[in-house]
């Protein structure tokens, strides 16, 4: 039986399709798509739970149906063929490198559920979609997505691309699986643990099972105490290869003594069978491990395999700053093509995804640092990077200092929004800015008249949100709690209304001036690249109330104003600025992930907002690859870097 708490242990949901995910049988035609399950898959991904498919169907037909609805990219390692369900489930788990104990299997047919349960009794739950939905609704209600879920999905899609490449490599006779690993340029970087990495290490300690040799758990307080102990060496392990960056995916604690002991030695399953744990164990001098019950054989096998792993490059960055560690981790330092251009990418999750692609197919050509959505140490979500108000304040540190109290009172403010990188690139040759926040937020003018600050406008109830209007305070608090993980008290909103006045949406003229000012502040050899927002002029205006139609039209016009500002600024910048145009790669028929139009019954403002958000701000993976390629070509045209374009296209093909 599936209960809400079951989802706490879930990492993967495997869906049957016919009469489960949709009603009817695809091969017989006439299926009825179930939007609630569609939305559940997206919500699961946002909250860090992946979805896959085990279905007796034609693979290409299913892919076209799910692409039409904008959902194909949300499924990892789908098994769509005419084999048995147990073998499908086994293959999915092997490819995703996940345990049955963290997996749900959903199917409408009792005999298939019984077959799967009999052959894989360790599955967390085997049930129907009808039984899943009530538990999911209860479990997901009120939960806030932090961005880590989308990052996790991107990592699994990376694994999917890599597995496809490995299969081609082996099946075409290019070599063995180990030869493939040797050709993958696996780099393992060991570094000390800064505060910004604490949450990730805690997550690994609490959630890692499969590659956790000691199985010891720690509370946040205990982990902090351990990291401060002078008698132990604590290391974070980051991994990357030519397919991409797997991020921080390992942690160890080595107790310093005449006979060193590993009291913690654990790794995310995303780097399973890459040889990382063996290489690190050998590099640490093969210390004794305190195995958990049942892990002695795993430790013995680890020690036996370690000497044979010769394809992992270890980089010791423990004595370096986080920035130096990131640079040291970049593979291919010797003999790489290109000049190693440096980028600063400023904006929301779309730049995280483009940046992840550059880490893969742009490896050795370009290095990027990110100023993107993140969770602060106190739990707040900081997500307004790239808004013109913060960019202007970054160029006026005297204002930031003078009005520090009025800025720091804002729950959505963080010093990184206005740090020196935003003013002059922070030493990076190129600054890449996403314009999404400028199309979504309204601005509030400070009582001094010297600056403005942003807050989302097209948010809950489709927008029109004014933080200085008491009638909007209840939904403003709800929106802030779900979007920024912080509530807005009435006391705060009263104080805010005394210090700031509502100034409406950012104008095209203001954004144009902001972009040109950034161009002026960049060094002589620096450049600015600005990503446009989707053109909504051809979007299907949803039916509904006059309020919905008015706000949607306003949203369309704001997107156009932002794009007009970008075009004018680029024309006036004398070659200092270039445009990265999302509309060159998406149309109403291709590229967007969300469904093409809202359901007729979804006419409430919040439902329309949800549709617009998933439709027009999320794209198919190839779109992000194409944007990354366009960016690299522009940098080459500017002379910032050089590369072999044919080789780059092949790398990008493997990723896309």
């Amino acid at each position: 039986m599936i209960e809400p708490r079951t989802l706490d242990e879930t990492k993967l949901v495997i869906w049957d399709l016919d009469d489960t995910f949709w009603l009817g049988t695809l091969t017989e035609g006439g299926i009825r798509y179930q939007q609630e399950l569609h939305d559940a898959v997206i919500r699961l991904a946002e909250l860090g739970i992946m979805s896959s498919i085990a279905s007796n169907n034609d693979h290409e037909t299913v892919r076209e149906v799910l692409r039409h609805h904008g959902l194909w990219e949300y499924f990892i390692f789908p098994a769509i063929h005419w084999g048995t369900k147990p073998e499908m489930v086994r293959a999915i788990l092997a490819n995703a490198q996940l345990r049955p104990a963290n997996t749900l299997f959903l199917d409408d047919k009792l005999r298939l559920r019984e077959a799967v349960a009999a052959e894989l009794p360790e599955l967390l739950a085997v049930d129907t979609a009808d039984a899943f939905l009530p538990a999911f609704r209860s479990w997901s209600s009120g939960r806030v997505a932090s961005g880590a879920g989308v990052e996790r999905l991107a990592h699994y899609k990376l694994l999917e691309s890599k597995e496809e490449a490995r299969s081609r490599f082996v099946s075409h006779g290019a070599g063995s699986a180990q030869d493939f690993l040797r050709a993958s340029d696996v780099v393992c970087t060991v570094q000390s643990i800064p505060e910004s990495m604490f949450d990730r290490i805690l997550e690994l300690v609490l959630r890692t099972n499969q590659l956790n040799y000691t199985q010891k758990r720690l509370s946040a307080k205990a982990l902090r105490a351990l990291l401060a102990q002078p008698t132990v060496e604590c290391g974070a392990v980051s991994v990357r290869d030519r397919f991409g960056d797997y991020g921080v995916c390992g942690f160890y604690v080595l107790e310093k003594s005449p006979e060193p002991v590993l009291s913690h030695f654990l790794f995310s399953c995303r780097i399973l069978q890459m040889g990382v744990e063996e290489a690190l164990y050998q590099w640490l001098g093969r210390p004794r491990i305190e195995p958990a019950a049942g892990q002695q054989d795993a430790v013995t096998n680890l020690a036996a395999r370690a000497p044979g792993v010769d394809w992992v490059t270890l980089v010791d960055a423990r004595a370096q700053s986080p920035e130096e560690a990131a640079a040291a981790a970049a593979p291919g330092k010797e003999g790489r093509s290109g000049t190693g251009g440096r980028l600063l990418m400023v904006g929301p999750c779309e730049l995280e995804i483009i940046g992840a692609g550059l880490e893969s197919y742009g490896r050795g050509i370009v290095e990027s640092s990110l100023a993107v959505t993140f969770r602060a140490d106190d739990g707040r979500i900081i997500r307004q990077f790239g808004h013109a108000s913060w960019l202007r304040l970054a160029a006026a540190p005297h204002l930031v200092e003078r009005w520090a109290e009025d800025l720091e009172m804002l729950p959505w403010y963080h010093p990184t929004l206005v740090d020196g990188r935003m003013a002059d690139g922070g030493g990076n040759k190129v600054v890449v800015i996403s314009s999404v926040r400028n199309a979504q937020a309204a601005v509030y003018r400070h009582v001094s008249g010297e600056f403005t600050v942003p807050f989302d406008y097209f948010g809950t109830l489709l927008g029109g949100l004014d933080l200085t209007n008491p009638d909007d305070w209840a939904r403003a608090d709800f929106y802030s709690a779900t979007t920024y993980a912080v509530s807005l008290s009435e006391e705060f909103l009263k104080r805010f209304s005394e210090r700031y006045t509502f100034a409406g949406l950012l104008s095209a003229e203001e954004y144009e001036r902001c972009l040109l000012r950034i161009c002026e502040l960049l060094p002589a050899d620096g450049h600015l690249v600005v990503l446009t927002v989707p053109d909504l002029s051809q979007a299907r205006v949803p039916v509904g109330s006059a309020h919905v139609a008015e706000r949607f039209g306003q949203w369309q016009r704001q997107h156009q104003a932002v794009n007009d500002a970008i075009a004018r600024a680029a024309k006036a910048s004398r070659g200092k600025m270039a445009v990265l145009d999302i509309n060159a790669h998406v149309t109403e028929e291709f590229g967007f992930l969300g469904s093409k139009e809202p359901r007729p019954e979804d006419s409430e403002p919040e439902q329309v907002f949800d549709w617009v958000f998933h439709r027009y701000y999320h794209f198919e993976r190839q779109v992000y690859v194409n944007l990354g390629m366009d960016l690299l070509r522009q940098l080459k045209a500017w002379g910032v870097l050089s590369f072999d374009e044919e080789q780059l296209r092949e790398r990008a093909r493997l990723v896309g």
Side-chain angles (χ1 to χ4, degrees):
M1 179 179 178
I2 300 177
E3 298 180 352
R5 64 174 180 269
T6 307
L7 277 296
D8 290 333
E9 302 299 321
T10 303
K11 295 183 180 180
L12 176 68
V13 178
I14 300 178
W15 301 82
D16 172 49
L17 295 178
D18 293 338
D19 288 320
T20 298
F21 189 76
W22 52 59
L23 300 180
T25 303
L26 188 59
T27 56
E28 298 173 2
I31 65 167
R32 192 169 74 206
Y33 197 77
Q34 299 193 86
Q35 187 65 35
E36 186 174 11
L37 295 182
H38 169 109
D39 296 341
V41 168
I42 295 175
R43 181 74 170 138
L44 284 168
E46 291 172 345
L47 294 172
I49 298 176
M50 301 298 103
S51 290
S52 187
I53 297 170
S55 172
N56 294 137
N57 259 305
D58 176 71
H59 187 279
E60 291 305 309
T61 304
V62 169
R63 181 167 64 176
E64 286 309 306
V65 170
L66 292 173
R67 273 186 171 171
H68 171 75
H69 288 280
L71 200 65
W72 177 251
E73 290 295 322
Y74 281 89
F75 292 102
I76 64 171
F77 298 106
I80 307 169
H81 52 75
W82 301 101
T84 69
K85 289 297 177 82
E87 71 180 69
M88 289 178 171
V89 173
R90 282 199 184 93
I92 292 167
L93 292 174
N95 286 328
Q97 301 170 3
L98 290 172
R99 301 164 63 237
N102 299 115
T103 303
L104 305 183
F105 174 74
L106 305 178
D107 198 302
D108 66 299
K109 295 180 176 61
L110 176 60
R111 62 179 176 82
L112 297 178
R113 296 199 304 273
E114 289 178 341
V116 169
E119 295 200 30
L120 293 102
E122 61 273 39
L123 284 167
L124 181 59
V126 176
D127 216 319
T128 65
D130 288 341
F132 166 80
L133 269 176
F136 168 74
R137 293 187 196 112
S138 176
W139 176 81
S140 61
S141 177
R143 289 180 181 259
V144 178
S146 67
V150 176
E151 179 186 355
R152 186 170 288 122
L153 176 60
H155 279 301
Y156 278 108
K157 299 306 287 186
L158 185 156
L159 284 177
E160 194 174 82
S161 297
K162 183 176 178 178
E163 176 56 25
E164 291 170 0
R166 189 200 65 79
S167 296
R168 289 195 301 269
F169 184 91
V170 175
S171 63
H172 292 170
S176 66
Q178 285 194 358
D179 292 329
F180 176 76
L181 287 169
R182 290 188 178 93
S184 296
D185 298 332
V186 182
V187 177
C188 169
T189 301
V190 180
Q191 65 184 96
S192 301
I193 301 170
E195 178 60 30
S196 60
M197 198 185 291
F198 180 84
D199 287 346
R200 172 57 179 159
I201 297 300
L202 181 61
E203 179 188 30
L204 284 170
V205 171
L206 294 177
R207 290 175 59 91
T208 303
N209 294 302
Q210 193 167 356
L211 287 180
N212 190 337
Y213 290 89
T214 66
Q215 298 286 327
K216 294 180 179 179
R217 311 300 182 188
L218 293 168
S219 66
K221 181 178 180 180
L223 177 59
R224 287 194 186 280
L226 182 63
L227 295 177
Q229 283 187 22
T231 58
V232 300
E233 174 190 313
C234 300
V237 181
S238 301
V239 180
R240 60 188 292 168
D241 62 16
R242 69 183 180 92
F243 295 93
D245 191 336
Y246 303 86
V248 177
C249 48
F251 171 64
Y252 73 86
V253 175
L254 184 65
E255 297 182 3
K256 301 174 183 177
S257 64
E259 184 184 355
V261 177
L262 279 169
S263 56
H264 291 267
F265 197 60
L266 55 99
F267 304 86
S268 166
C269 59
R270 69 178 61 153
I271 52 96
L272 189 67
Q273 298 178 355
M274 289 176 65
V276 169
E277 65 270 29
E278 291 90 347
L280 180 64
Y281 180 66
Q282 189 78 6
W283 184 75
L284 289 172
R286 302 169 64 88
R288 182 168 64 86
I289 297 177
E290 296 178 348
Q295 289 289 95
Q296 184 57 60
D297 287 347
V299 171
T300 301
N301 292 334
L302 171 75
R305 293 191 306 266
V309 175
D310 58 2
W311 55 81
V312 177
T313 300
L314 268 296
V315 176
D316 187 355
R318 289 171 295 180
Q320 299 172 338
S321 69
E323 293 76 15
E324 292 170 331
K333 287 284 186 179
E334 297 179 4
R336 70 184 183 185
S337 62
T339 59
R342 292 180 57 194
L343 309 180
L344 171 64
M345 307 186 80
V346 184
C349 59
E350 59 186 344
L351 289 186
E352 288 187 82
I353 300 172
I354 294 172
L358 294 177
E359 292 284 342
S360 178
Y361 54 81
R363 177 184 53 84
I365 297 171
V366 64
E367 297 174 9
S368 58
S369 57
L370 301 176
V372 297
T373 302
F374 74 98
R375 186 179 285 274
D377 293 343
D378 58 8
R380 294 177 301 137
I381 297 172
I382 309 301
R383 65 188 298 269
Q384 294 178 351
F385 285 99
H387 192 277
S389 294
W390 299 131
L391 295 171
R392 286 196 296 263
L393 270 172
H398 62 289
L399 292 180
V400 175
E401 182 177 358
R402 182 187 307 163
W403 300 109
E405 183 177 349
D406 284 357
L407 288 170
E408 291 168 1
M409 69 177 276
L410 307 176
W412 58 89
Y413 171 78
H414 194 274
T416 55
L417 292 166
V418 296
D419 67 25
R421 297 172 300 165
M422 310 303 157
D424 59 10
N428 296 278
K429 288 188 176 181
V430 177
V431 177
V432 183
I433 293 177
S434 166
S435 301
V436 166
R437 298 296 179 231
N438 298 281
Q440 293 176 337
V443 294
Y444 296 81
R445 191 163 303 281
H446 187 254
V447 291
S448 67
E450 294 183 300
F451 66 93
T452 61
V453 299
F455 191 82
D456 293 23
Y457 180 77
F458 295 114
T460 183
L461 301 181
L462 198 64
L465 193 66
D466 177 358
L467 294 185
T468 65
N469 181 356
D471 292 341
D472 287 350
W473 285 356
R475 60 195 182 100
D477 175 51
F478 171 80
Y479 183 74
S480 180
T482 55
T483 306
Y484 295 93
V486 63
S487 292
L488 304 180
S489 67
E490 184 172 327
E491 180 183 359
F492 161 76
L493 289 165
K494 286 179 179 178
R495 184 183 174 202
F496 178 83
S497 300
E498 294 169 355
R499 305 302 296 164
Y500 296 88
T501 57
F502 180 67
L505 294 170
L506 180 74
S507 72
E509 293 72 23
E510 288 175 307
Y511 193 38
E512 179 184 354
R513 287 195 294 270
C514 173
L515 296 177
L516 290 174
R517 179 59 175 157
I518 294 172
C519 290
E520 293 174 1
L521 293 171
L522 288 172
D525 60 347
H527 293 277
L528 175 66
V529 178
V530 183
L531 185 63
T532 62
V533 292
D535 179 3
L536 298 186
S537 62
Q538 302 303 311
R540 294 169 173 83
V541 179
V543 296
S545 66
H547 170 82
V548 167
E550 176 191 353
R551 294 303 181 204
F552 190 78
Q554 193 179 26
W555 209 334
Q556 289 176 306
R557 293 190 293 274
Q558 183 64 6
H559 271 236
Q560 186 61 56
V562 166
N563 285 339
D564 287 346
I566 295 169
R568 291 199 300 268
K571 186 175 181 180
S573 69
R574 301 181 183 275
K576 190 81 169 178
M577 170 183 158
V579 178
L580 198 59
D581 190 8
I582 182 65
N583 297 295
H585 302 292
V586 296
T587 68
E588 280 297 313
E589 302 303 320
F590 174 79
F592 293 114
L593 270 184
S595 58
K596 290 185 178 180
E597 57 187 55
R599 298 179 300 179
E601 61 268 30
D602 287 344
S603 58
E604 291 300 317
E606 62 268 28
Q607 295 167 329
V608 176
F609 167 74
D610 189 64
W611 168 69
V612 171
F613 177 76
H614 289 296
R615 169 68 174 167
Y616 290 108
Y617 295 119
H618 298 83
F619 315 111
E620 293 187 2
R621 180 170 43 167
Q622 188 59 49
V623 172
Y624 296 110
V625 174
N626 291 341
L627 288 168
M629 290 288 292
D630 287 351
L631 174 58
L632 291 179
R633 292 190 186 101
Q634 179 61 58
L635 302 189
K636 184 177 182 180
W638 275 332
V640 173
L641 52 82
S642 62
F643 53 84
D644 183 323
E645 185 147 348
E646 183 176 347
Q647 182 185 49
L648 187 67
R649 281 199 302 269
E650 174 59 19
R651 285 185 182 179
R653 185 187 67 79
L654 288 172
V655 173

